[in-house]
Amino acid sequence: CVVSVTNVPPPHSTIRPGSPVPVNTNNPGVRKAARFGVYRYNNSSNDLFLFKESRIKKAMVQIVRGLKYMLHVEIKRTVCEKRDHSSLDSCHFQREKNLQRMLRCYFEVWITPWTHKIHIPVAQC
């Protein structure tokens, strides 16, 4: 898993390591981090269906031995059943009214690109 490190400020930047800064919710690193948060949620939920991120409402990144993303994400139930282990990219959101469900989540996703490690200390929905 390769993670872009385009958010790391240049050495002369006024951003100090350790201070969280807002980052665009369309940033590829943010989107990837949100997906990791969703995987974590899906692995711990009892729902029959997989959930997928529908909207990233707010994103912050903190540079601390890698990139720590703090994300406020809305996730929705898809039509894909967990037991099928589908790729989330091909899972569409539920259209049936009684099966639709949206959750507001807060994820902290810590990515250290040089070790290819991803740690998700917080996944609250």
Side-chain angles (χ1 to χ4, degrees), residues 55-117:
R55 188 159 81 103
I56 301 169
K57 294 179 70 174
K58 184 180 171 196
M60 305 274 287
V61 68
Q62 183 176 18
I63 298 154
V64 47
R65 283 174 307 171
L67 297 174
K68 184 179 178 185
Y69 291 95
M70 288 147 277
L71 309 172
H72 293 269
V73 184
E74 288 179 355
I75 68 173
K76 289 184 178 173
R77 186 184 273 146
T78 69
V79 295
C80 297
E81 291 191 23
K82 258 191 190 177
R83 61 168 187 228
D84 296 336
H85 299 299
S86 307
S87 157
L88 279 180
D89 289 332
S90 58
C91 291
H92 302 291
F93 294 116
Q94 280 287 354
R95 289 215 170 80
E96 270 189 64
K97 260 294 189 241
N98 62 333
L99 286 177
Q100 287 177 356
R101 183 145 184 239
M102 191 269 286
L103 299 170
R104 288 183 179 86
C105 304
Y106 174 70
F107 298 137
E108 286 185 7
V109 181
W110 193 0
I111 299 172
T112 45
W114 54 91
T115 61
H116 304 291
K117 282 205 174 131

Side-chain angles (χ1 to χ4, degrees), residues 8-90:
V8 175
H12 57 272
S13 167
T14 55
I15 300 169
R16 291 188 320 281
S19 54
V21 291
V23 61
N24 191 308
T25 54
N26 284 324
N27 175 290
V30 167
R31 295 165 73 88
K32 195 169 281 191
R35 176 60 58 88
F36 286 128
V38 168
Y39 285 147
R40 165 83 188 270
Y41 172 80
N42 282 331
N43 285 337
S44 62
S45 90
N46 296 326
D47 206 288
L48 237 81
F49 296 95
L50 293 169
F51 277 69
K52 181 165 93 170
E53 66 282 1
S54 59
R55 188 159 81 103
I56 301 169
K57 294 179 70 174
K58 184 180 171 196
M60 305 274 287
V61 68
Q62 183 176 18
I63 298 154
V64 47
R65 283 174 307 171
L67 297 174
K68 184 179 178 185
Y69 291 95
M70 288 147 277
L71 309 172
H72 293 269
V73 184
E74 288 179 355
I75 68 173
K76 289 184 178 173
R77 186 184 273 146
T78 69
V79 295
C80 297
E81 291 191 23
K82 258 191 190 177
R83 61 168 187 228
D84 296 336
H85 299 299
S86 307
S87 157
L88 279 180
D89 289 332
S90 58

